[in-house]
Amino acid sequence: MELPNWKKLFVESNIPEKLAPLKELSKNLWWVWNTEARELFQSIDEEIWEECAHNPVVLLEKVSYQRFLELEEDKSFMARLDMVTGLLKKYLKDRSTLPAPQIAYFSMEYGLHDSLKIFSGGLGILAGDYLKEASDSKVNLIAVGLLYRYGYFKQTISIQGDQMANYEAEEFSKIMVQPAFDKEGNWVEVEVDFPGRTLTARVWEAKIGSVSLYLLDADYEANRDEDRFVTHHLYGGDNENRLKQEMLLGLGGIRALKKLGYQSDIYHCNEGHAAMIGLERIKDFMTDKQLSYAEAKEVVRASTLFTTHTPVPAGHDSFHQDMFRAYMEHFTGWLNIGWDEFVMLGKTNPAEDHFNMSYLAANLSQGTNGVSMLHGEVSKDILKHLYEGFLPEELNIGYVTNGVHYPTWAAKEWKELHLKYFGKDFVDNELDFDLWDKIYKVPDEEIWNLKKQLKLKLIDYIKHRFADSWIKRHENPKLISEVTNKLNPNALTIGFARRFATYKRAHLLFRNLDRLSRIVNNPEKPVQFIFAGKAHPADKAGQDLIKYIVEISKRPEFLGKILFVQNYDMNLAKMLLQGVDIWLNTPTRPLEASGTSGEKGVMNGTIHFSVLDGWWVEGYKENAGWALPLERTYDVQDFQDELDAETIYNIFEDEIIPAYYDRNEKGISEKWVSYVKNTIAQVAPNFTTSRMIRDYQERFYYPQAERTARLVANNFALAREMTIWKAKISKAWDAIEVKEIQITDGLTNVLRIGEEYPAKVVLDLKELSPEEVGLEMVITETNSTGEPLLVESLEFKVDQQEGTQCTYQLNLHLMDPGAYGYGLRIFPKNENLPHRQDFKLMNWI
Ligand SMILES: *Cc1c(COP(=O)(O)O)cnc(C)c1O
């Protein structure tokens, strides 16, 4: 018998000529934050639009030819298509030339849209929002990341409450990426050396408005199987795979930009994962411009910014040095340095056996920043071992508080209201805080009804999504209908959704179940909680927590009152943040570096209730949210949890619930609306990505670009000069001798307030000049745990010089009573140093 001989046949979707602009529109992710464009796609076929999870590329493949022919004849559709295409065209034209400096941004993940599965949570969504904002704010920025075949998982919850992680392979033809070509029209590929072989990656491009995001992909024939795995999973595989990914992102990323013809001014390393960009760039300066290692490092540091996101030392990526050596030793040849010097780029002390990527990033960056004011301080403590001799407070580690992209996260309904009351040009003037203030002019009823409408939308959405998932896992139909019937669009609704890491303490609310039951089951003042979030597949504790909440949600007294909705993604986040009344966050202090979901809430009039941690330390205002205090009361976490849970119940019972149900004759809570207004006027404006990107420009990009330009001018003249100078100082430093120190009168250490005490120090500077050697007195107080805290540093003046001996003098003049400690130290001085830690040399004397 003849067997059938199957041959392949492809039927490509065929879009009529007149509708071709739809295809163009679908390829630029601009539609993600443009309401008109999204509504245009939706109107093609609402059902398919939902089915394909709002992915227009898939939508256009699935829609029937018949439907396209209909649309072609539909005058109103064609007019809207014309209008939206015009909007994008104008948007891109306004951004066709952008001013320097150009920023090259590197991140392991980007959360742009659910269909592009290259993110897992907060870090990625932040990076995605940032690219959108760069485009909106006309910042000259390009970005580099990895394109994962499986990306991050979709979450389903079993009937027992177990999290199941489903990874689905992505077909790259079905997402908004295209091959990236070089000038000759070749698909760009880059290579990275692995032990005994070469990893090859091809480069894809995603368009985000005017921003190009280049994504490296190793999963194709060029590589052997185990190397194709390198870009399969985000945060998957073992530590060795992570190293391979980070080599590809850092080394491969720079190689890709070079092949694409970019010469960026500033390199922004978002988290330590991409820190190897610095190594590759040093290598390039050495080979292409014949700089020495030290000279190249000067230029690379000046033009690199490192943003750290992690508040605990263990959260920073590191690799055992033996494994690291197997992959990276060849680099010492490029950099012309020995292994010991090379490996110290990722260590604070030769005895450490791990190479730390955050240390590498910090060592190769002039600027380092945390992601909120508090996290900036925490980061100083985490990175302080890199800067022995300095007090943590002195470290040049700044902060830029994270923000969120308004056009992505604000509900359409709010955007309309803002346009009506804040003015047509509001979208381009988010930083004009006076505009936000106009929220006080909006009638209470309009705001109350808007919130009500959004909550209704959320409850509808959840009912569908929830029922679907429960039916799929064969829950008892009676249970399902009971839950969906009990969900109440008029109840005070609280949202809690984020990654299920134990430090986020989702369990806190459940410490006293009787009390919680009383709160949610008050018939006059009902309350409901909606939970969502994924736990990392390796995080058993996080998964147990999900299971626990799912179990509680099935108890009779909590049915329909406590809900866990599976697969937290950007779309669910949007629905929740726009629809709930309160966003709750209960992290363990100070482990929330910034947090951003609450920021998405406040621009939607969703009131925030959180521990004073991360961004909320800066955001909280009285009558515009609720806060758990910043200071820890107990060192024992369990006591602290108990106290915090108690406080949360009290605040709900005494403040939140009464305020929400305090209704006037129209059924509106004026008090509540006033909180919403305060939230929008006083909190939201400061936590947009507009504000965030401006801060990055002013605090880092502009000053660093300016200094880099000075270093590289005239064939790197200043970079070379600084290198020579640093070498000279280093060589002569240890020879400096202290000849004499006179601080107080020598009889007593008690100073009287307001009086001046001349202090004098004589140094023999040997080969150095007094302009190059500074001397200062560092005055400290002791904190409760016995550590010195900086009060102030007072620099001595050079009084006289005889030969190589130099007298430094200072008039001590203290104004506040107290017991102080003081120390003296010498440090190298040069007006071209950006900050003290740029040249870490110094001595306490
Ligand atoms: C915003 C967002 C996050 C981050 O929220 P945090 O409050 O920073 O933890 C995570 N996941 C999704 C889907 C989000 O939209």
Side-chain angles (χ1 to χ4, degrees):
M1 195 180 71
E2 289 274 320
L3 288 172
N5 178 11
W6 295 111
K7 297 213 174 69
K8 278 195 174 164
L9 183 68
F10 295 101
V11 181
E12 277 204 348
S13 66
N14 191 1
I15 296 183
E17 191 67 20
K18 273 165 80 183
L19 295 177
L22 278 174
K23 242 187 156 156
E24 287 315 302
L25 269 184
S26 74
K27 286 181 185 161
N28 191 320
L29 282 139
W30 171 81
W31 58 261
V32 171
W33 70 99
N34 182 281
T35 311
E36 287 93 346
R38 270 210 319 280
E39 287 179 344
L40 182 76
F41 285 125
Q42 183 180 25
S43 67
I44 294 176
D45 188 316
E46 242 178 89
E47 215 167 285
I48 301 181
W49 179 245
E50 289 308 318
E51 227 171 78
C52 67
H54 309 171
N55 178 340
V57 177
V58 177
L59 172 83
L60 294 179
E61 277 183 11
K62 289 205 162 160
V63 169
S64 70
Y65 196 65
Q66 190 55 39
R67 176 65 184 146
F68 281 135
L69 294 179
E70 269 169 43
L71 289 172
E72 221 178 9
E73 298 304 316
D74 181 341
K75 285 216 174 63
S76 109
F77 181 85
M78 291 308 290
R80 280 194 297 135
L81 174 57
D82 231 35
M83 184 269 291
V84 174
T85 325
L87 280 180
L88 176 59
K89 218 177 244 160
K90 170 154 192 335
Y91 180 91
L92 292 177
K93 185 160 169 282
D94 290 347
R95 287 156 181 79
S96 49
T97 50
L98 294 169
Q102 183 180 73
I103 319 301
Y105 186 84
F106 288 75
S107 177
M108 193 81 158
E109 50 171 318
Y110 293 92
L112 292 153
H113 186 260
D114 288 322
S115 57
L116 201 51
K117 295 183 298 179
I118 55 172
F119 69 96
S120 76
L123 177 72
I125 298 196
L126 178 83
D129 271 14
Y130 197 64
L131 301 193
K132 294 170 184 170
E133 185 63 51
S135 175
D136 283 352
S137 291
K138 301 182 182 157
V139 174
N140 189 344
L141 184 142
I142 51 169
V144 180
L146 300 181
L147 184 59
Y148 304 95
R149 179 65 69 185
Y150 295 86
Y152 208 59
F153 67 94
K154 281 198 170 146
Q155 177 196 54
T156 48
I157 303 291
S158 78
I159 200 160
Q160 286 83 21
D162 296 310
Q163 166 176 293
M164 290 175 303
N166 312 306
Y167 290 95
E168 288 162 22
E170 188 65 66
E171 275 181 61
F172 296 155
S173 63
K174 293 203 185 327
I175 54 178
M176 283 73 51
V177 296
Q178 292 112 49
F181 299 108
D182 63 15
K183 286 202 182 67
E184 282 77 47
N186 303 312
W187 191 347
V188 174
E189 287 186 315
V190 293
E191 294 184 342
V192 175
D193 289 326
F194 281 0
R197 64 192 193 278
T198 306
L199 177 79
T200 308
R202 54 188 179 185
V203 184
W204 300 80
E205 180 181 4
K207 273 280 175 198
I208 298 105
S210 59
V211 168
S212 289
L213 165 61
Y214 296 101
L215 297 167
L216 278 56
D217 154 34
D219 186 18
Y220 66 116
E221 321 70 59
N223 296 306
R224 41 162 117 170
D225 281 352
E226 82 235 45
D227 287 343
R228 293 179 66 152
F229 180 79
V230 172
T231 54
H232 275 189
H233 300 282
L234 171 60
Y235 307 135
D238 54 11
N239 198 235
E240 184 166 349
N241 197 60
R242 178 72 76 91
L243 173 62
K244 293 181 197 168
Q245 289 185 331
E246 296 187 359
M247 286 175 72
L248 181 59
L249 177 63
L251 309 175
I254 294 292
R255 288 169 200 177
L257 291 187
K258 204 170 165 187
K259 284 201 169 173
L260 288 159
Y262 287 105
Q263 281 187 311
S264 302
D265 304 294
I266 295 290
Y267 290 74
H268 188 164
C269 190
N270 187 45
E271 194 53 302
H273 308 131
M276 286 190 220
I277 56 173
L279 299 175
E280 178 69 9
R281 290 184 63 224
I282 291 176
K283 167 186 155 230
D284 280 351
F285 278 117
M286 292 175 72
T287 21
D288 301 347
K289 309 283 181 188
Q290 284 76 49
L291 297 189
S292 70
Y293 169 68
E295 291 160 352
K297 202 166 145 190
E298 282 291 321
V299 182
V300 166
R301 283 174 49 82
S303 51
T304 310
L305 167 63
F306 166 44
T307 299
T308 170
H309 291 257
T310 317
V312 284
H316 295 254
D317 261 354
S318 67
F319 304 105
H320 193 278
Q321 60 186 1
D322 295 344
M323 178 175 79
F324 187 76
R325 186 168 192 163
Y327 281 86
M328 288 299 292
E329 188 169 23
H330 68 282
F331 239 81
T332 57
W334 289 112
L335 304 192
N336 198 21
I337 54 175
W339 174 254
D340 291 341
E341 185 176 354
F342 184 73
V343 79
M344 277 308 289
L345 288 169
K347 303 207 276 187
T348 62
N349 156 352
E352 288 166 8
D353 62 1
H354 273 67
F355 185 93
N356 181 306
M357 293 295 280
S358 294
Y359 292 162
L360 175 66
N363 276 327
L364 296 183
S365 301
Q366 175 181 317
T368 298
N369 74 288
V371 291
S372 67
M373 190 167 72
L374 181 63
H375 180 245
E377 295 308 308
V378 171
S379 301
K380 290 177 182 175
D381 210 51
I382 291 179
L383 296 173
K384 69 182 174 201
H385 301 297
L386 281 174
Y387 310 101
E388 286 306 341
F390 292 97
L391 296 166
E393 305 93 283
E394 292 182 294
L395 298 184
N396 182 68
I397 294 175
Y399 74 93
V400 172
T401 305
N402 285 343
V404 294
H405 185 236
Y406 167 83
T408 297
W409 297 103
K412 185 182 80 185
E413 291 80 352
W414 276 114
K415 286 188 200 169
E416 283 163 7
L417 181 134
H418 293 160
L419 280 185
K420 180 168 152 199
Y421 288 95
F422 299 2
K424 273 203 306 292
D425 50 357
F426 172 64
V427 266
D428 297 320
N429 293 290
E430 283 167 31
L431 288 175
D432 183 350
F433 291 8
D434 291 343
L435 295 181
W436 299 77
D437 230 36
K438 296 186 179 175
I439 194 73
Y440 290 115
K441 297 219 169 74
V442 183
D444 285 2
E445 207 167 344
E446 210 169 323
I447 288 182
W448 184 259
N449 288 338
L450 195 160
K451 281 299 295 176
K452 214 168 136 177
Q453 187 190 341
L454 287 171
K455 181 150 61 172
L456 199 59
K457 224 164 131 179
L458 167 70
I459 301 287
D460 266 356
Y461 176 75
I462 297 232
K463 278 183 180 172
H464 278 114
R465 188 154 166 162
F466 183 79
D468 267 6
S469 64
W470 277 42
I471 289 165
K472 278 200 185 111
R473 64 177 190 241
H474 307 295
E475 294 273 3
N476 177 350
K478 212 172 122 244
L479 207 62
I480 301 177
S481 70
E482 206 171 330
V483 170
T484 51
N485 287 338
K486 274 196 174 158
L487 266 176
N488 178 356
N490 296 314
L492 172 68
T493 306
I494 293 111
F496 182 107
R498 49 189 49 87
R499 206 155 44 81
F500 265 69
T502 39
Y503 84 82
K504 303 226 182 199
R505 297 194 300 176
H507 58 278
L508 216 54
L509 197 67
F510 304 102
R511 283 191 76 104
N512 184 339
L513 291 179
D514 290 338
R515 194 149 171 207
L516 182 62
S517 169
R518 282 201 301 279
I519 290 176
V520 298
N521 288 309
N522 180 338
E524 269 97 60
K525 298 174 179 176
V527 176
Q528 60 201 0
F529 288 85
I530 305 174
F531 285 82
K534 298 175 179 177
H536 188 279
D539 178 9
K540 176 79 170 47
Q543 291 170 39
D544 288 348
L545 207 54
I546 292 177
K547 192 177 168 118
Y548 176 64
I549 295 177
V550 171
E551 277 167 15
I552 290 196
S553 73
K554 289 185 184 173
R555 295 190 186 183
E557 70 271 32
F558 292 122
L559 266 191
K561 303 282 184 178
I562 308 272
L563 212 64
F564 186 93
V565 185
Q566 70 181 24
N567 200 38
Y568 185 47
D569 60 10
M570 288 178 79
N571 194 42
L572 177 57
K574 225 153 110 171
M575 298 300 290
L576 280 171
L577 281 150
Q578 295 171 357
V580 299
D581 300 298
I582 289 186
W583 195 249
L584 179 67
N585 192 13
T586 50
T588 309
R589 291 171 281 260
L591 298 185
E592 186 87 310
S594 165
T596 53
S597 56
E599 301 175 341
K600 300 166 191 167
V602 292
M603 58 173 58
N604 285 292
T606 297
I607 305 175
H608 199 229
F609 177 14
S610 170
V611 173
L612 278 178
D613 194 13
W615 78 278
W616 194 229
V617 176
E618 296 152 69
Y620 170 72
K621 300 268 162 18
E622 215 177 318
N623 296 322
W626 293 274
L628 264 63
L630 176 66
E631 296 303 328
R632 283 185 81 110
T633 310
Y634 294 111
D635 284 336
V636 178
Q637 190 58 45
D638 197 46
F639 290 165
Q640 186 68 42
D641 285 359
E642 184 69 35
L643 175 72
D644 287 348
E646 199 67 23
T647 315
I648 292 172
Y649 295 132
N650 288 344
I651 292 179
F652 270 116
E653 287 172 341
D654 302 342
E655 297 179 37
I656 296 177
I657 298 171
Y660 184 75
Y661 287 104
D662 175 12
R663 305 296 168 86
N664 66 12
E665 66 288 349
K666 288 183 185 161
I668 295 172
S669 164
E670 289 166 19
K671 198 170 198 177
W672 195 265
V673 175
S674 78
Y675 293 165
V676 172
K677 288 181 176 176
N678 292 341
T679 294
I680 290 174
Q682 299 171 28
V683 186
N686 211 19
F687 299 97
T688 63
T689 38
S690 300
R691 193 272 308 143
M692 174 185 165
I693 209 162
R694 186 202 57 192
D695 284 353
Y696 273 112
Q697 287 178 308
E698 289 177 356
R699 294 178 196 174
F700 297 99
Y701 297 162
Y702 293 158
Q704 286 195 233
E706 185 273 326
R707 179 164 182 271
T708 306
R710 284 197 292 124
L711 285 176
V712 305
N714 303 321
N715 192 23
F716 303 94
L718 185 56
R720 293 178 208 268
E721 189 187 305
M722 289 304 286
T723 310
I724 293 170
W725 178 76
K726 282 185 178 174
K728 177 188 95 171
I729 300 281
S730 302
K731 197 156 151 257
W733 193 251
D734 289 340
I736 297 174
E737 265 179 52
V738 181
K739 291 291 179 193
E740 186 187 339
I741 298 180
Q742 257 184 48
I743 299 301
T744 56
D745 57 13
L747 297 173
T748 152
N749 283 326
V750 180
L751 307 187
R752 269 186 306 276
I753 284 190
E755 289 190 20
E756 286 203 348
Y757 296 85
K760 184 176 114 177
V761 174
V762 182
L763 300 177
D764 185 345
L765 300 176
K766 304 282 173 53
E767 287 165 43
L768 300 178
S769 75
E771 290 77 45
E772 295 171 313
V773 183
L775 171 72
E776 67 189 344
M777 175 184 277
V778 179
I779 299 182
T780 59
E781 272 172 341
T782 311
N783 73 3
S784 55
T785 52
E787 277 165 69
L789 287 179
L790 181 68
V791 176
E792 61 180 329
S793 298
L794 305 167
E795 187 169 347
F796 282 67
K797 287 204 170 57
V798 176
D799 192 32
Q800 47 177 298
Q801 193 180 1
E802 265 175 56
T804 58
Q805 297 225 355
C806 183
T807 307
Y808 289 79
Q809 190 263 330
L810 171 75
N811 279 330
L812 253 185
H813 188 216
L814 293 178
M815 296 308 288
D816 291 313
Y820 298 102
Y822 74 85
L824 297 172
R825 70 181 177 201
I826 54 171
F827 59 95
K829 277 179 82 165
N830 186 317
E831 61 180 14
N832 289 311
L833 286 177
H835 54 80
R836 287 280 182 87
Q837 290 92 43
D838 187 72
F839 189 26
K840 294 192 254 180
L841 208 57
M842 67 125 114
N843 279 58
W844 290 91
I845 60 177

